[in-house]
Amino acid sequence: MLAELQSSIGNDVLVGLMQAAAAIALCAVVVALCAWQTVHVEREAAISMLRGLVQMILVGVVLAVLLHGSLLIGSVILFMMTIAAAVTASRRLKGMNGALLMCFWSIVAGAGTIIAVMLATRSLQPEISILVPVGSMIIANAMNACAQAIERFRAEIVAHTGHIEAALSLGAEPAVTVAPYLQSAVYASLLPRLDMMKSLGLVWIPGVMAGMVVSGASPVYAGIYQFIIVAMILASSGITSLVATTLMRSRAFSPAAQLLLRPADPAASSGPTA
């Protein structure tokens, strides 16, 4: 393993760093154009690019060391990724108690279930060099779906506080009053994945398929396997969104069926007026 790590730090790494510098320079030009139009993203762009480069280098080092690790090691890596994904998604719900755990269990329910099914059906091999990259894609998409669903759900509830409270005052169940907004949030979170599935092979050829073809696999099999991965991404995103919005719905009301999520400015509510 040490020899593999040492061999990875050579000419290829230096070439990669030079290519990364060129990519950063191109991004800097775009940031400068944004600043010219008074869209200031300089600081965030610089931090994001630095973090992204450092994180990917560290991931490469870890994978070089653990390339032939066991299923247990791969599972630990994916578990740590899930925690990081939950922390990232929970930032969309600042101020809500239990947001981190809610996002964690939602991502576990979606990504964890799908990865387990893929392993059980041998659609995903337990080798760490395959398990971690594919698993990370599923977790990342589950994280995005979770963040999009809860953000949309919260925005819908806050925007329709008046309507919801009017329905509650007439005796409607809390789940019924927010059902249209839950449906809207789940659909919004799945729309990017549905579009990704529709455009598969027409607008973009994903990296997994390209890598398999380059490594000598049958192009037809590579295409089928890529479809399987995208389908599993869609499935995990759907489970995550449903679980996240359902858990959030239970936290949106008090035990006495009072709405807890409210707009910062009461006048911003779009509820019915007299």
Side-chain angles (χ1 to χ4, degrees), residues 72-127:
L72 177 61
I73 295 176
S75 300
V76 171
I77 295 175
L78 292 181
F79 179 74
M80 298 303 295
M81 288 181 174
T82 302
I83 294 176
V87 171
T88 301
S90 65
R91 292 173 182 166
R92 304 279 187 172
L93 291 176
K94 292 180 179 179
M96 174 175 281
N97 293 330
L100 178 57
L101 281 177
M102 183 186 74
C103 292
F104 174 77
W105 289 118
S106 300
I107 296 172
V108 167
T113 299
I114 295 304
I115 291 174
V117 170
M118 292 182 73
L119 286 170
T121 59
R122 306 298 293 177
S123 297
L124 180 61
Q125 299 300 317
E127 287 80 8

Side-chain angles (χ1 to χ4, degrees), residues 212-273:
M212 292 178 66
V213 172
V214 170
S215 65
S218 165
V220 176
Y221 173 72
I224 294 173
Y225 190 73
Q226 182 63 72
F227 167 80
I228 293 171
I229 293 177
V230 175
M232 294 300 98
I233 286 174
L234 176 62
S236 66
S237 299
I239 295 173
T240 300
S241 300
L242 288 169
V243 174
T245 51
T246 301
L247 291 176
M248 185 175 173
R249 182 183 63 189
S250 67
R251 290 168 169 76
F253 297 91
S254 69
Q258 297 173 321
L259 183 63
L260 299 177
L261 289 179
R262 295 177 176 279
D265 180 7
S269 174
S270 63
T273 56

Side-chain angles (χ1 to χ4, degrees), residues 18-266:
M18 293 175 61
Q19 294 171 337
I24 292 173
L26 180 59
C27 290
V29 172
V30 175
V31 170
L33 291 174
C34 291
W36 181 49
Q37 294 294 327
T38 67
V39 180
H40 296 290
V41 294
E42 299 91 338
R43 182 176 181 274
E44 186 173 357
I47 294 174
S48 298
M49 285 188 287
L50 178 61
R51 283 188 56 179
L53 178 60
V54 172
Q55 287 168 184
M56 289 309 299
I57 291 175
L58 291 176
V59 168
V61 172
V62 171
L63 290 179
V65 174
L66 303 176
L67 190 58
H68 302 291
S70 65
L71 175 60
L72 177 61
I73 295 176
S75 300
V76 171
I77 295 175
L78 292 181
F79 179 74
M80 298 303 295
M81 288 181 174
T82 302
I83 294 176
V87 171
T88 301
S90 65
R91 292 173 182 166
R92 304 279 187 172
L93 291 176
K94 292 180 179 179
M96 174 175 281
N97 293 330
L100 178 57
L101 281 177
M102 183 186 74
C103 292
F104 174 77
W105 289 118
S106 300
I107 296 172
V108 167
T113 299
I114 295 304
I115 291 174
V117 170
M118 292 182 73
L119 286 170
T121 59
R122 306 298 293 177
S123 297
L124 180 61
Q125 299 300 317
E127 287 80 8
I128 197 170
S129 58
I130 301 175
L131 175 63
V132 172
V134 174
S136 67
M137 287 191 292
I138 294 174
I139 293 171
N141 278 273
M143 175 193 70
N144 290 333
C146 179
Q148 291 166 349
I150 59 181
E151 185 176 43
R152 177 65 175 268
F153 193 34
R154 183 176 192 173
E156 290 279 7
I157 292 176
V158 169
H160 298 88
T161 298
H163 292 94
I164 295 171
E165 292 189 330
L168 290 172
S169 67
L170 295 175
E173 292 293 327
V176 175
T177 64
V178 298
Y181 315 127
L182 187 150
Q183 296 165 5
S184 175
V186 172
Y187 178 76
S189 69
L190 290 181
L191 192 56
R193 283 88 203 165
L194 292 170
D195 288 342
M196 180 172 65
M197 178 71 78
K198 292 176 184 177
S199 63
L200 189 62
L202 296 177
V203 178
W204 65 297
I205 298 178
V208 172
M209 178 180 178
M212 292 178 66
V213 172
V214 170
S215 65
S218 165
V220 176
Y221 173 72
I224 294 173
Y225 190 73
Q226 182 63 72
F227 167 80
I228 293 171
I229 293 177
V230 175
M232 294 300 98
I233 286 174
L234 176 62
S236 66
S237 299
I239 295 173
T240 300
S241 300
L242 288 169
V243 174
T245 51
T246 301
L247 291 176
M248 185 175 173
R249 182 183 63 189
S250 67
R251 290 168 169 76
F253 297 91
S254 69
Q258 297 173 321
L259 183 63
L260 299 177
L261 289 179
R262 295 177 176 279
D265 180 7

